[in-house]
Amino acid sequence: WLWQVLAQAWPFFGQYMEKLLVENVAPSIRASNTHLQTFTFTKVDMGQKPLRVLGVRAHAGTHNKQILLDLNISYVGDVQIDVEVKKFFCKAGVKGMKLYGMLRIILEPLLGDVPIVGALTMFFIRRPTLDINWTGMTNLLDIPGLSSMSDTMIMDTISSYLVLPNRLLVPLVPDLHEAAQLRCPLPRGVVRVHLLGARDLRSKDRFMGGLVEGKSDPYAVLRVGTQVATSRVIDDNLNPTWDEVYEFIVHEVPGQEVEVELFDKDPDQDDLLGRMKLDLGEVLRARVMEEWFPLQEGGQGRLHLHLEWLSLMSDASKLDQVLERNQTITAKPDPPSAAILVVYLDRAEELPRCVGSPQHPIFAQMKKPGKAPNPVVQLSVQDVTQESKVVCNTSDPVWEDAFRFFLHDPRNQDVKDDPRQSPLGSLSLPLSRLLEAPEMTLDELFPLQHSGPGSRLHMKLVLRVLFLDTPENGVPPPTPSGQLEQLVSTESPTRPTQTSPDSRFGTEHVLRIHLLEAENLIAKDNFFKGMVRGRSDPYAKVRVAGRVFRSRVVKEDLNPRWNEVYEVIVDNIPGQDVEFDLFDKDVDKDDFLGRWVQEGVRGRVSLSHQWLPLEEVKSGRLHVRLENLDPQPSTALLEQVLHTNSLLQPARGEELSAALLSVFVDRAADLPLQKGSKAPTAFASLAVRDVSFKTKTYASSTEPMWDEGFSFLIKQPHVEMLELQVKEEGGKPLGMLSLPLCQLLASEGLALDGWFPLAGAGPGTQILLRAQLGVSGVLGGLGGKGRPPASSPHLPPRSWGGPDGWSLGVLILHPCRPPEPAEGPRVQLTLWYHRDERKLVAIVHACRELRAVAKELPDPYVSLVLLPDRSRSTKRKTSVQRKTLNPDFNERFEWDLSPEEASRRKLEAHVKSTLSFMTREKEVLGKV
């Protein structure tokens, strides 16, 4: 329903965006640069493809008047925005955009009156993935003043505006008192990151054509939201020691992460050595963490961090204690902070029309003397200066922005506006005033110096002391650099007992694509120079998730029926598409018959059954069905899935999968040395049936760490097996593991996680992995239901309907009596109308509690006939079961029926017993 709302509201959102860009953004751009004074938007079209919401997650807020919603959004839009700078005859624009990320919406404050929610606050917790298709970008960058910019710089700037601490506030009630606080709330806290060192990094530098392996020159890049810090470079070292301290302001928990990337410094392009991420919610809960973190995403080695969560205190009672502790911390490149200052810059009043000389650099931003200025504010604390946005053509500017400063000692620092940089006025404020103010907060109109008589600046200043709140009011100090060097060379981290896969592990699902048929395709085969029109020999290519499937060729048919099924493993990355391309098979070059792209396969309903109009051709449409099969750790579901697959199994193609196997290979331990003393360069290969994968190669280590995940489609979990081998780079085996999947079926949660011994290796050689089996439990609208095993003595009634006129169910039919109680004589049938193949399918499973008329037990069988026609072509019957009142049959029968004909038919089931082979006399035990 949310997609439908967005789709219908999208044109009106486009009208709003056009008004916003033309009336608000364009004037700001014209005022920002003298060369852009003729900048205009000539076209704003948000296109026909709306934003998609792929998932929503709710969190409890920090108080009872707040609700947090995280929306996983995907936008692959056909937006078109054209701009023009007439002075330089420059035209440029945007034609197409992709945006993926997690958008947080805060509903706050909750009210006791309609509309219940006072305002919406929106922002991206982490920088989203943004891809813009520019047109005429080179022309735009040729304009003076813009030549120093690049496509990457522009994208970085746009992305940063979408991420914390930037927020978009949408008030839902007038005169909301909390609007300023919601627009720029106080941070949740500060995380202090001690970047201590790393070990066992990968060597990226090679010499003499790669024959000689050198060392790397590592440095680290640390990020929290838009805050970025870069360490110094350590030359020629695979076990670097930094001993550097960085501090980051945290705005949202849960959600925000600290991310550390290690790079090898090179003259041309720096190489990635590895990366780690940590949710700051874990630091908040622990208060203090010091760990060796394994590097992910292609890296090897570990990163040593000490993290501290610093709470914000609204009084100065702990300031001396904080300053005393900070003196014990050896911090580079800057000393540790004792407090933070948040400045809410609201507005100014009655600024002078023109102050200063025309030679002043700020004067370039002003109009002619006597006209309204374009004010900008510069705030400085010691040697740190931040600047507000420019507000054009006004003496009463409104900024509504926030600025944050780290303070080493608030008793000896000031906030000031340098008069040399601000000809419209200046202000200097000792922070000692804040230490004495209630809750260390000042909110007032400050008169400006060197300005007009009534010129005032409205600001709110909030000071908060950074206190490390632990139960013992103290923490263990981070490891000193001298001990770190000893630790790197002599000690190893504690060996984990379980794997630690990243958040993406186990999030895949299976996409099942039913390629059914096509209609009204164009005829490409012509004879006698086009005088006689023939037909086409169509086939289809299906592209999804890097895989390409090709159907069989249907000869001379403009309405081909394929009835083929393809399966592919798809992860949760949004924006993945399924592409269908149809071709006419020819001797020389195949002709194009049309295309359709199904966007955003993840997040769709479990079953999508539709006719797709073919694009780029005059006629034709394609009939497909898409199913998302989400793995579920349920053995009870497996038999039902296998049974359903037997019904869905097409005449052509591979056997349908019943489960998804996800394997995370963490590391190995105690691999045997090569040639007596040399550590091996090893990788792991994994295989199920004829599908195999291998990890990256880990250089020169008896304890390689791979940290990689792989997934396999499993058809028969009871009999299949995972084969794993650890090999040396040249292919020599170092050990192997055979894991029958039936062991997973017997395990809790269908998963095994831990150390497994490797056969054919030393006594201590092991591998740490996690194997997770998920049964494909959402099958085309079945809702996870299915028939009970035929051998069950109790047969509870179950039935359900499926979409698009087909159904699958188990019916408990009671011969010759009302069907209410599940007792007495009854027959168990599965009835299914297969609309795609225009067939009625019946499976006779069993009978229960039949009643014998004579003294001897009957020899029962089931006879089926389609009414009203009783001809031989409509009759079917099972085999005869000897001397039993509870026979099991499990036999399948089919009838070719059109949907129209099926609606007029009735199925009659007779349960009979053979009395005499010689007379062929039958006894009817009941019928339905």
Side-chain angles (χ1 to χ4, degrees):
W1 65 267
L2 187 56
W3 292 349
Q4 294 175 358
V5 171
L6 289 171
Q8 188 164 346
W10 194 251
F12 301 94
F13 175 74
Q15 296 175 17
Y16 165 75
M17 287 299 299
E18 181 176 11
K19 181 178 179 181
L20 177 68
L21 293 174
V22 172
E23 297 181 5
N24 297 86
V25 177
S28 298
I29 294 176
R30 287 193 288 267
S32 65
N33 192 302
T34 56
H35 301 288
L36 298 178
Q37 293 178 353
T38 57
F39 177 92
T40 56
F41 287 97
T42 58
K43 181 177 181 179
V44 178
D45 181 7
M46 297 306 294
Q48 303 299 316
K49 299 180 180 180
L51 180 80
R52 289 182 177 272
V53 178
L54 305 182
V56 181
R57 183 180 180 185
H59 306 273
T62 55
H63 49 81
N64 61 0
K65 288 190 176 183
Q66 181 187 74
I67 299 174
L68 308 182
L69 298 177
D70 286 342
L71 277 64
N72 184 11
I73 68 168
S74 170
Y75 176 56
V76 184
D78 52 351
V79 58
Q80 184 170 354
I81 301 176
D82 296 334
V83 302
E84 182 178 5
V85 183
K86 296 181 179 179
K87 178 179 179 180
F88 297 95
F89 306 100
C90 171
K91 294 183 178 181
V94 172
K95 190 174 182 180
M97 179 187 302
K98 295 181 180 180
L99 176 68
Y100 313 126
M102 190 68 70
L103 178 69
R104 173 159 291 184
I105 298 180
I106 301 180
L107 311 181
E108 182 187 6
L110 301 181
L111 309 173
D113 200 354
V114 291
I116 305 301
V117 177
L120 303 179
T121 306
M122 293 177 281
F123 52 85
F124 284 93
I125 297 178
R126 294 178 288 275
R127 173 175 164 167
T129 300
L130 178 65
D131 184 12
I132 298 177
N133 183 25
W134 301 101
T135 60
M137 175 58 69
T138 54
N139 300 331
L140 192 64
L141 296 181
D142 287 339
I143 297 177
L146 302 182
S147 57
S148 61
M149 301 185 70
S150 66
D151 181 8
T152 303
M153 293 171 61
I154 294 174
M155 300 280 274
D156 289 344
T157 303
I158 295 174
S159 295
S160 66
Y161 275 108
L162 304 174
V163 184
L164 281 173
N166 299 296
R167 299 168 184 253
L168 173 63
L169 179 70
V170 182
L172 302 180
V173 295
D175 303 323
L176 185 65
H177 299 296
E178 299 94 333
Q181 180 65 24
L182 294 175
R183 188 175 288 108
C184 303
L186 268 176
R188 290 290 306 277
V190 170
V191 61
R192 179 177 291 160
V193 182
H194 297 253
L195 177 66
L196 300 175
R199 59 168 293 179
D200 298 333
L201 298 182
R202 184 183 298 276
S203 175
K204 289 288 187 177
D205 295 340
R206 295 178 180 270
F207 308 99
M208 299 180 64
L211 296 175
V212 179
E213 183 177 294
K215 295 185 178 180
S216 296
D217 307 319
Y219 69 94
V221 177
L222 300 88
R223 290 187 181 88
V224 174
T226 57
Q227 306 164 85
V228 182
T230 303
S231 76
R232 73 184 193 276
V233 179
I234 298 180
D235 296 329
D236 296 329
N237 200 329
L238 300 181
N239 300 301
T241 299
W242 285 288
D243 265 350
E244 297 180 358
V245 178
Y246 301 95
E247 295 168 334
F248 301 96
I249 294 174
V250 182
H251 298 273
E252 287 293 323
V253 177
Q256 281 196 284
E257 297 175 330
V258 57
E259 178 182 1
V260 183
E261 293 178 306
L262 299 187
F263 293 93
D264 171 30
K265 186 68 176 176
D266 278 337
D268 46 2
Q269 183 177 357
D270 297 349
D271 296 315
L272 179 66
L273 297 175
R275 128 178 341 113
M276 65 78 61
K277 293 181 181 179
L278 178 66
D279 193 307
L280 290 172
E282 296 185 31
V283 185
L284 172 60
R285 288 189 291 271
R287 299 294 176 172
V288 178
M289 294 179 66
E290 182 169 343
E291 290 186 21
W292 286 90
F293 295 93
L295 295 176
Q296 309 285 346
E297 300 189 26
Q300 73 174 40
R302 295 177 178 273
L303 181 66
H304 193 190
L305 298 179
H306 177 97
L307 302 103
E308 300 173 355
W309 179 269
L310 305 178
S311 302
L312 306 184
M313 295 190 61
S314 58
D315 63 78
S317 59
K318 303 286 187 181
L319 180 59
D320 291 336
Q321 181 180 343
V322 170
L323 292 171
E324 182 180 352
R325 180 179 185 272
N326 285 354
Q327 292 178 357
T328 65
I329 300 175
T330 303
K332 295 177 291 185
D334 297 310
S337 301
I340 62 167
L341 172 69
V342 181
V343 180
Y344 297 98
L345 179 64
D346 188 2
R347 65 185 186 275
E349 297 178 357
E350 300 181 25
L351 296 181
R353 289 278 175 167
C354 181
V355 178
S357 63
Q359 289 75 28
H360 196 282
I362 301 299
F363 191 80
Q365 299 180 359
M366 300 174 61
K367 300 290 184 180
K368 296 180 181 179
K371 299 294 182 179
N374 301 327
V376 58
V377 176
Q378 292 179 334
L379 298 100
S380 299
V381 176
Q382 282 190 339
D383 55 347
V384 178
T385 299
Q386 300 184 45
E387 188 172 287
S388 75
K389 63 185 178 183
V390 179
V391 182
C392 303
N393 304 320
T394 179
S395 295
D396 300 297
V398 176
W399 289 282
E400 293 183 336
D401 204 355
F403 304 88
R404 302 157 188 89
F405 298 88
F406 283 105
L407 306 176
H408 305 307
D409 187 351
R411 298 174 300 188
N412 303 319
Q413 294 178 268
D414 298 337
V415 177
K416 57 184 177 181
D417 224 336
D418 191 339
R420 295 171 298 173
Q421 298 296 324
S422 301
L424 298 179
S426 63
L427 170 68
S428 182
L429 180 69
L431 294 182
S432 56
R433 281 187 56 187
L434 280 168
L435 293 174
E436 301 168 357
E439 294 190 351
M440 297 196 292
T441 301
L442 291 176
D443 187 359
E444 57 187 83
L445 284 166
F446 296 92
L448 291 174
Q449 303 170 2
H450 312 293
S451 187
S455 299
R456 295 182 297 177
L457 188 65
H458 187 192
M459 292 190 302
K460 180 179 179 180
L461 296 92
V462 179
L463 185 67
R464 291 293 182 263
V465 174
L466 303 179
F467 182 68
L468 184 58
D469 187 12
T470 60
E472 302 83 6
N473 289 325
V475 297
T479 306
S481 60
Q483 296 180 23
L484 173 67
E485 205 52 61
Q486 180 183 0
L487 182 64
V488 167
S489 59
T490 63
E491 296 186 13
S492 296
T494 303
R495 181 176 293 176
T497 58
Q498 290 187 323
T499 61
S500 55
D502 59 27
S503 58
R504 294 173 300 174
F505 175 75
T507 59
E508 298 97 346
H509 68 288
V510 179
L511 178 67
R512 182 176 289 170
I513 304 167
H514 299 256
L515 179 68
L516 303 176
E517 58 187 320
E519 284 185 355
N520 300 325
L521 300 182
I522 56 178
K524 286 290 187 177
D525 296 340
N526 299 320
F527 306 98
F528 301 107
K529 298 184 178 180
M531 297 180 63
V532 178
R533 294 187 63 81
R535 297 185 179 183
S536 294
D537 305 319
Y539 69 92
K541 283 186 177 180
V542 184
R543 294 181 174 86
V544 57
R547 297 281 305 277
V548 179
F549 303 96
R550 176 170 170 159
S551 76
R552 61 188 174 91
V553 177
V554 180
K555 294 289 186 181
E556 298 184 358
D557 198 338
L558 301 182
N559 300 293
R561 294 177 65 86
W562 290 287
N563 283 329
E564 297 184 9
V565 182
Y566 314 110
E567 293 180 321
V568 63
I569 299 172
V570 184
D571 56 28
N572 278 340
I573 297 176
Q576 298 183 94
D577 302 336
V578 183
E579 299 181 14
F580 299 92
D581 291 295
L582 270 61
F583 296 93
D584 169 37
K585 182 65 177 177
D586 280 336
V587 177
D588 47 1
K589 183 180 180 182
D590 297 347
D591 297 315
F592 180 68
L593 296 179
R595 169 182 293 119
W596 177 265
V597 178
Q598 182 69 58
E599 297 180 345
V601 297
R602 183 56 178 159
R604 299 182 61 83
V605 292
S606 61
L607 178 106
S608 175
H609 194 301
Q610 53 192 315
W611 282 92
L612 309 174
L614 295 176
E615 298 176 342
E616 304 178 33
V617 289
K618 294 181 179 180
S619 69
R621 61 178 188 160
L622 181 66
H623 191 193
V624 302
R625 185 166 80 236
L626 303 180
E627 293 178 277
N628 274 323
L629 311 183
D630 289 313
Q632 302 177 25
S634 170
T635 52
L637 191 61
L638 180 58
E639 293 301 323
Q640 303 165 19
V641 171
L642 291 172
H643 167 66
T644 306
N645 282 357
S646 68
L647 301 176
L648 290 171
Q649 183 65 47
R652 301 177 181 86
E654 295 185 6
E655 182 182 358
L656 297 179
S657 67
L660 180 69
L661 174 65
S662 299
V663 182
F664 182 78
V665 184
D666 191 310
R667 70 192 72 189
D670 299 329
L671 293 183
L673 298 175
Q674 302 302 298
K675 296 182 180 179
S677 60
K678 184 179 179 182
T681 297
F683 67 91
S685 66
L686 303 90
V688 175
R689 297 186 319 279
D690 56 345
V691 179
S692 61
F693 300 100
K694 74 172 189 175
T695 68
K696 62 180 179 289
T697 302
Y698 196 99
S700 302
S701 176
T702 59
E703 298 194 0
M705 291 195 321
W706 294 293
D707 291 326
E708 293 187 61
F710 307 93
S711 297
F712 300 87
L713 292 174
I714 304 301
K715 305 179 188 301
Q716 297 291 336
H718 294 98
V719 298
E720 295 187 50
M721 182 176 296
L722 170 67
E723 300 283 358
L724 183 146
Q725 282 191 317
V726 179
K727 298 181 180 180
E728 198 182 5
E729 192 172 24
K732 178 183 176 181
L734 301 175
M736 63 179 296
L737 169 69
S738 296
L739 180 63
L741 300 189
C742 59
Q743 292 186 16
L744 295 176
L745 294 174
S747 302
E748 182 180 357
L750 276 62
L752 292 173
D753 192 337
W755 290 95
F756 295 82
L758 293 177
T765 304
Q766 304 176 81
I767 190 166
L768 178 61
L769 62 83
R770 177 180 177 85
Q772 171 77 59
L773 195 65
V775 179
S776 302
V778 180
L779 291 171
L782 294 185
K785 296 182 179 179
R787 68 172 183 88
S791 59
S792 173
H794 304 289
L795 302 173
R798 300 188 183 188
S799 63
W800 51 82
D804 305 299
W806 61 271
S807 63
L808 173 61
V810 178
L811 307 181
I812 310 303
L813 304 179
H814 301 261
C816 306
R817 32 180 317 205
E820 285 81 3
E823 297 178 354
R826 55 196 185 276
V827 59
Q828 182 188 30
L829 303 175
T830 291
L831 300 179
W832 179 26
Y833 184 72
H834 196 318
R835 176 175 290 274
D836 301 333
E837 298 189 1
R838 303 163 74 90
K839 289 181 178 180
L840 175 66
V841 179
I843 298 180
V844 182
H845 297 293
C847 294
R848 290 293 182 264
E849 299 183 23
L850 298 179
R851 292 175 180 171
V853 178
K855 293 183 179 180
E856 295 183 355
L857 292 175
D859 297 333
Y861 68 94
V862 179
S863 173
L864 305 173
V865 62
L866 282 179
L867 301 178
D869 184 8
R870 290 182 177 270
S871 66
R872 183 178 296 272
S873 63
T874 65
K875 292 182 178 180
R876 308 285 189 272
K877 74 172 186 176
T878 69
S879 59
V880 178
Q881 302 296 311
R882 300 296 179 187
K883 308 301 181 184
T884 177
L885 296 176
N886 297 291
D888 291 322
F889 300 102
N890 292 319
E891 298 183 37
R892 170 174 171 152
F893 306 96
E894 296 182 358
W895 293 265
D896 291 324
L897 287 177
S898 67
E900 296 76 20
E901 187 180 4
S903 65
R904 298 191 298 268
R905 294 279 196 169
K906 291 184 179 180
L907 180 67
E908 189 172 80
H910 292 259
V911 182
K912 300 180 181 181
S913 176
T914 302
L915 291 181
S916 170
F917 176 76
M918 299 297 295
T919 62
R920 297 184 180 274
E921 193 176 349
K922 309 292 189 297
E923 177 188 27
V924 178
L925 302 180
K927 74 173 184 178
V928 175

